[in-house]
Amino acid sequence: MKNPGGLSARPPRMAACLDRSRGMLWAVSPKSRGRKSVKTSQRRHPADRAHPGPRGGLREPRLRAAYDAIIEPMRDLTDPARVPDAFEAEMMVGVLVGMVFQAGLDGSLDGGRLTAVLLDVVDELARSGLAHAYPGLRTLAVVGPPEISGLAARAAEGIAAAAEHSGGSPAWTGQLGQVTPGTCVVLADPYAETQTLLCEFAYADGARAHGVWAALDATWHGSVVALTIVDRPDQARRQLDKRARRDGTTVREIPAPDAAMRLQAGIDAFLQHGRPPGADREDDTYGELCAALSIARQRAATLAGRSGQGPVPAAADLWSQDARRQIAEEFLASPHGRDLQGPVARKFPLLLITTCANQLGCDPLLIGPLLLERILLHVFPMTLTGPDRFGTEIPPLMRAWTSWLAERRDIPRGHRKQLMLRLEFLLNRFPALWADQRANPLRRYVQDLPDEVASDGEAVFGVIERRTFAVPEPADRGDGMVQARGNRGRHADELDAADETDRQLITFLGLSRHGLPQDRFTPYTAVTEQIWANDPPHVWAAAQRMSAAGHTRDAILDRLARTWNNTATQNADGYAAALARLAPPRSR
């Protein structure tokens, strides 16, 4: 079944995109419908090709390559054949800034270092004396991120006289960002999971008409998941009309401030939350989004004008705990939810509502194929920490919940049928993902808990805190190997915390890594098991007191092991007294 939201749909023609895999800047000529790629290393420029480095050095010398990747292509700003107008200038510089954005969003640059690269670019242009410095700074002031746009504007003012004296700047510099909004329209898919926003703009006298095309994902904080600048907004509008006729929906015209709020909120959500679960692959859509981000932000500000609308509240803030409980109770009282019995089944609806509002940032009353995919393939298998048996509770819940919401939202019969078919497809894939221990290793730490405890979030958190102290989770076990079970070598992160023998092997590997001889292992395995089982509870209580006093885990286990070794033959009261002396409770 194709995604009815059409997130993979492309506008009829894209003005620019970024292809990171080949290190190229792709730009569309206004005279050609095709794309032409220009490698920056192959460009030829006048005698000013070599430029001096920033006086005093770069803020981030290790990022010289990133700095040069922006500075060098900006030379084209003085070439009328390559950059004939303000639109092409904004597009080119927006794509260059998008390269830095993408590096930051991918984790290779943090926010501070990302800004430092762009500040180095501003400084270099301001003092270089090169022909492209002034138009470069003027363009950065328009499409650069807020952290540098003001500085770029002031730097441009500082060299304006020198630029005029040396031959002037391109005529289009006075037109940068001077666009007039046109029609803004939005198209929602049949399930209201996604919105496609198209906002039209033009420069003076209607020149260089273009549009911002954005796909907003209501199942992921309202974030933009596709974004591009189209240079044929009329063709893009026809594509929206065609899709609306196919889906039985309507393209609606909306006021500019409303469009601004949606677009800016979607961009903010993308910058805050990143890509949605399951969309972590490098693809053209992501590169295009980053490349269009700078211009889209500037156009959103133009749409907003002086409306001054505040930020859109998050879904988690809109749904109080009482409101969540009310919806859960309404569902459980309905014919769809009456068959859900037992402590686990009765608590799952509230958990599902919380997952939507808190983790996915969406309206808990939303339902559609994209949201079901997010929950069943990406969120529940990785974040829901409960015994493996809980997996059997999820399919009947999701069938009842989906049917109830589809009826409540009055989704048309045809789309409702498609929705339930999609749900069954996802439920067929769910068991294999749920059974994969690598998805959420913490589930192995709660396998033996009774339903009443395992379905109590606060209780589960306490158990996990205690047991991961006793037996580190896979990521914290190091790279040790053991020979066990059929003489097969097993890595430390393959060992099962729910199995007592494997728990001992995990403890052995940790002690061996610290150089402790084998004849001293017994006290450590004993106290580890006591903490795991919380029996006697005095052991974990002593560990918590020592942790609060600033002791490390290794130091705490050493002291507990010595205490057990010295008092192993004593009675329970003697052991408890010895533990109490390790770190007496603080007097109030």
Side-chain angles (χ1 to χ4, degrees):
M1 173 180 172
K2 293 179 67 176
N3 175 14
L7 294 185
S8 61
R10 296 289 191 275
R13 182 179 172 202
M14 283 163 282
C17 69
L18 180 66
D19 186 338
R20 295 180 71 246
S21 64
R22 288 180 287 235
M24 295 182 183
L25 171 68
W26 291 88
V28 174
S29 166
K31 300 178 182 179
S32 169
R33 291 184 180 273
R35 288 178 181 156
K36 53 185 181 179
S37 62
V38 183
K39 288 186 177 180
T40 57
S41 60
Q42 295 176 347
R43 290 177 176 153
R44 295 293 179 264
H45 297 285
D48 69 345
R49 178 166 183 80
H51 62 79
R55 297 167 192 163
L58 298 173
R59 293 174 176 82
E60 289 288 343
R62 293 171 296 176
L63 302 178
R64 179 81 201 201
Y67 162 86
D68 287 336
I70 300 176
I71 285 284
E72 289 295 333
M74 278 193 180
R75 297 173 182 276
D76 285 346
L77 291 172
T78 57
D79 184 349
R82 294 182 182 274
V83 183
D85 54 31
F87 176 73
E88 292 293 343
E90 292 176 31
M91 289 299 303
M92 190 193 82
V93 174
V95 170
L96 295 175
V97 173
M99 293 170 61
V100 185
F101 266 131
Q102 190 164 346
L105 295 170
D106 286 344
S108 54
L109 288 178
D110 60 33
R113 296 175 68 205
L114 185 153
T115 302
V117 172
L118 295 175
L119 289 175
D120 281 333
V121 169
V122 171
D123 287 348
E124 167 61 7
L125 290 172
R127 57 184 166 232
S128 67
L130 299 174
H132 64 280
Y134 180 73
L137 288 169
R138 286 289 303 272
T139 310
L140 278 173
V142 171
V143 301
E147 295 81 3
I148 69 140
S149 59
L151 180 62
R154 292 191 293 273
E157 292 175 4
I159 65 170
E164 186 65 30
H165 184 267
S166 63
S169 58
W172 48 256
T173 55
Q175 301 168 5
L176 288 165
Q178 300 302 305
V179 295
T180 301
T183 303
C184 297
V185 297
V186 64
L187 171 65
D189 74 87
Y191 303 98
E193 291 186 301
T194 62
Q195 294 180 353
T196 302
L197 184 66
L198 176 62
C199 302
E200 299 178 13
F201 301 89
Y203 290 83
D205 300 324
R208 292 312 303 263
H210 58 282
V212 176
W213 169 291
L216 308 175
D217 188 346
T219 73
W220 182 245
H221 305 280
S223 170
V224 292
V225 290
L227 183 66
T228 193
I229 310 301
V230 295
D231 55 5
R232 288 292 305 275
D234 55 337
Q235 189 173 346
R237 173 62 188 269
R238 287 195 294 272
Q239 182 170 323
L240 284 181
D241 290 336
K242 181 179 179 180
R243 194 197 307 175
R245 288 192 298 271
R246 181 197 68 197
D247 293 338
T249 53
T250 304
V251 177
R252 294 189 300 109
E253 187 170 332
I254 58 175
D258 184 6
M261 180 187 66
R262 297 178 192 225
L263 180 58
Q264 188 59 58
I267 291 172
D268 291 343
F270 170 73
L271 293 174
Q272 180 178 354
H273 301 286
R275 288 165 284 181
D280 56 354
R281 300 183 303 276
E282 295 285 344
D283 58 20
D284 288 344
T285 300
Y286 179 55
E288 291 162 7
L289 194 164
C290 293
L293 204 58
S294 292
I295 291 183
R297 290 212 288 190
Q298 193 277 335
R299 297 304 191 258
T302 300
L303 288 171
R306 298 182 179 180
S307 62
Q309 296 192 29
V312 176
D317 298 329
L318 293 173
W319 283 84
S320 68
Q321 198 64 22
D322 287 342
R324 300 179 192 193
R325 289 196 185 96
Q326 182 178 344
I327 292 297
E329 291 169 2
E330 181 182 339
F331 164 68
L332 290 170
S334 72
H336 301 82
R338 286 174 188 165
D339 291 337
L340 299 175
Q341 301 299 325
V344 178
R346 304 295 289 181
K347 288 184 179 181
F348 257 125
L350 183 58
L351 174 65
L352 182 55
I353 292 168
T354 300
T355 296
C356 290
N358 290 11
Q359 291 179 253
L360 296 175
C362 71
D363 183 347
L365 297 179
L366 187 69
I367 196 66
L370 183 57
L371 179 59
L372 292 174
E373 180 178 327
R374 295 257 193 274
I375 291 171
L376 289 171
L377 302 191
H378 304 290
V379 178
F380 273 5
M382 295 184 180
T383 66
L384 189 55
T385 302
D388 288 343
R389 64 184 183 274
F390 279 13
T392 61
E393 304 271 2
I394 292 174
L397 163 75
M398 296 307 299
R399 291 188 183 99
W401 179 261
T402 302
S403 179
W404 178 68
L405 275 183
E407 183 178 304
R408 193 178 196 272
R409 295 179 66 90
D410 198 24
I411 293 176
R413 181 173 299 180
H415 292 303
R416 194 181 308 183
K417 181 179 179 181
Q418 290 181 352
L419 180 63
M420 299 310 293
L421 288 173
R422 180 64 174 175
L423 174 61
E424 291 304 319
F425 170 78
L426 296 170
L427 289 176
N428 285 335
R429 295 183 59 188
F430 174 75
L433 296 171
W434 180 263
D436 187 352
Q437 295 184 22
R438 295 168 298 179
N440 184 359
L442 290 178
R443 283 212 302 271
R444 304 308 301 165
Y445 288 73
V446 298
Q447 291 302 311
D448 59 333
L449 299 182
D451 286 355
E452 293 76 8
V453 177
S455 60
D456 182 336
E458 291 298 325
V460 170
F461 291 151
V463 171
I464 289 175
E465 179 186 12
R466 171 167 50 81
R467 290 185 168 180
T468 52
F469 181 90
V471 180
E473 52 187 301
D476 299 327
R477 295 175 190 170
D479 295 323
M481 298 286 294
V482 297
Q483 291 293 125
R485 294 185 180 173
N487 205 33
R488 183 180 72 87
R490 300 169 68 204
H491 192 273
D493 60 14
E494 294 181 83
L495 299 173
D496 184 2
D499 181 271
E500 183 177 353
T501 300
D502 280 10
R503 289 200 295 272
Q504 291 183 351
L505 292 174
I506 295 168
T507 301
F508 291 169
L509 287 172
L511 296 173
S512 299
R513 195 168 61 249
H514 288 88
L516 199 72
Q518 269 190 321
D519 59 1
R520 294 178 56 191
F521 283 4
T522 300
Y524 288 87
T525 57
V527 297
T528 294
E529 278 302 304
Q530 290 172 350
I531 294 174
W532 177 274
N534 202 25
D535 183 23
H538 312 294
V539 184
W540 176 232
Q544 288 178 297
R545 293 196 303 271
M546 286 188 281
S547 179
H551 297 284
T552 65
R553 176 181 179 273
D554 290 340
I556 292 170
L557 290 177
D558 284 341
R559 297 187 69 183
L560 291 173
R562 287 199 301 270
T563 302
W564 181 90
N565 200 44
N566 293 334
T567 60
T569 59
Q570 298 181 15
N571 58 31
D573 290 340
Y575 186 31
L579 290 169
R581 289 193 293 271
L582 290 179
R586 294 180 180 178
S587 58
R588 295 184 179 180

